[in-house]
Amino acid sequence: MFAIIESGGKQFRVREGQQLKVAKMADEAGSEVIIDRILAAGDQTEVKFGQPFIEGAKVVCDVLSHERDKKIIVFKKKRRKGYSKKQGHRQDFTRLWVKTIEA
């Protein structure tokens, strides 16, 4: 069974037993999170679509950890002006484990 969920303004296709990186959540590591913003859910034979969400559907996840992604370099330059700026950025994220999908 799979589901398409919305979390942090992004959409993810998830299945049971999968690890997932989403935008940072306020929940503690080790706690359980219920995501009820399900756009679509189904299996090999049948797929249900919501308008925009499926009512009564939910995905139960465990919060594994809060981490920071790899560093990216933000480099800005204006030619012939002597201006350049180098900056690094690391994005915070939450790692989830998908336990069950109920649709």
Side-chain angles (χ1 to χ4, degrees):
M1 179 140 202
F2 76 94
I4 298 176
I5 64 171
E6 181 181 318
S7 176
K10 295 181 176 67
Q11 297 174 4
F12 302 95
R13 184 181 193 271
V14 298
R15 61 183 194 287
E16 293 178 0
Q18 176 184 354
Q19 275 193 18
L20 183 65
K21 281 173 40 174
V22 297
K24 186 172 181 186
M25 302 174 111
D27 300 300
E28 293 289 323
S31 66
E32 189 173 87
V33 175
I34 296 174
I35 300 172
D36 58 353
R37 298 173 68 91
I38 311 299
L39 299 165
D43 52 11
Q44 297 288 336
T45 59
E46 181 184 357
V47 178
K48 285 194 269 183
F49 295 99
Q51 294 182 357
F53 305 113
I54 301 174
E55 289 193 32
K58 63 182 179 178
V59 174
V60 180
C61 302
D62 281 336
V63 177
L64 296 178
S65 62
H66 298 289
E67 301 174 25
R68 297 187 79 191
D69 227 343
K70 293 191 295 188
K71 181 180 274 192
I72 63 164
I73 303 298
V74 180
F75 185 74
K76 299 179 181 181
K77 181 176 175 65
K78 296 191 184 218
R79 62 184 192 161
R80 298 188 301 271
K81 304 296 180 205
Y83 169 79
S84 65
K85 180 179 180 181
K86 184 178 178 182
Q87 189 175 4
H89 175 76
R90 291 184 72 187
Q91 185 71 33
D92 294 326
F93 69 90
T94 300
R95 191 175 299 276
L96 298 177
W97 176 263
V98 180
K99 286 173 44 176
T100 59
I101 297 173
E102 300 171 14

